Every structure is written in structure tokens, then in C-alpha cells.
Amino acid sequence: MARSEEKDGDWGIPERAKVVMLIAFVMALCNADRVVMSVAVVPLAAQHGWSSCFLGIVQSSFLWGYLASSSVGGALADKYGGKRVIAWGAAIWSLATLLTPRAAEHSTAMLLGVRTLFGLAEGVAIPP
């Protein structure tokens, strides 16, 4: 492939460079979203009177979804393409992050459901 064919778009950035930049951004977002709940759970626990045992359940609910979707993410990437799967995963886990405080106010079951959805969506990302 000639160098001129390798470039894409108006700015002449190679496609592989775009992919690397987008994956780096998505993985930074992924890790930031994982840290957010560890920080936010302290005021949520104080506000709702949760025990330390329940805090462990809230934190582990992320892993329920993550475990279920880690292997499925590879199959989805084979079928639909990695860029599409990671984009949908990032959109869904970002939405779940935004919904977490509202879910905590609504009910504990809703909070655990949103945290599980968060794990399901992040399961398609590259493991840290």
C-alpha cells in the first residue's frame, strides 16, 4: 500500500493512528469510570446508611456484569467489528455511570442493576 493510500481524512492522519488515539481515550474513560464509584460510594453510603458489607455487594455488582460479557465481547467484535463494539460499550457504561446516583436514590435493586449494566458494558473493553 502506498503512503498516500494509508492516509485518511482531511488532516492526513493515518487510520491506525486514529484507532490508537481513540482506544487510548476509551481506555482512559474506562479506568476513570471504574474509579468514580470507588470515590462516590463513600458519600452514598453515608447518605443511605449502608453497611460495609453492603458496600462490598455494590462494588462487586460491577464484576457480575463484567464476568458475563468479557468473552461475549470478543464474539461481538468478530461479528460487528471492534470499533463499533467498543463505541457502544463506552456509550452504555457512560450512561450507566450517569444513572448510578439516581438509581441509588430509587432503590438498592436499581443500583445493583445499573452497576451490573455498567460491568456488562465495560466487559467489551480490553482488560486492564
Side-chain angles (χ1 to χ4, degrees):
M1 178 182 289
R3 286 204 175 257
S4 62
E5 295 175 23
E6 189 177 325
K7 295 182 179 181
D8 187 44
D10 296 333
W11 295 322
I13 300 172
E15 185 69 21
R16 68 176 172 264
K18 290 179 190 177
V19 170
V20 168
M21 288 186 293
L22 287 172
I23 290 295
F25 174 74
V26 166
M27 293 313 298
L29 178 65
C30 176
N31 289 317
D33 282 343
R34 289 182 188 183
V35 171
V36 164
M37 190 58 181
S38 298
V39 174
V41 78
V42 175
L44 280 174
Q47 181 182 1
H48 296 287
W50 296 338
S51 68
S52 61
C53 181
F54 185 71
L55 287 178
I57 293 171
V58 170
Q59 292 289 71
S60 70
S61 64
F62 162 80
L63 296 172
W64 305 339
Y66 191 81
L67 178 66
S69 67
S70 291
S71 59
V72 175
L76 289 172
D78 285 343
K79 186 171 183 175
Y80 299 109
K83 288 191 280 186
R84 184 174 291 163
V85 171
I86 198 81
W88 275 103
I92 293 169
W93 84 58
S94 295
L95 177 65
T97 301
L98 291 172
L99 293 176
T100 297
R102 299 251 183 198
E105 291 173 6
H106 186 268
S107 70
T108 56
M110 181 73 77
L111 173 64
L112 296 177
V114 167
R115 291 293 298 160
T116 303
L117 175 67
F118 179 64
L120 278 167
E122 274 210 8
V124 301
I126 302 165

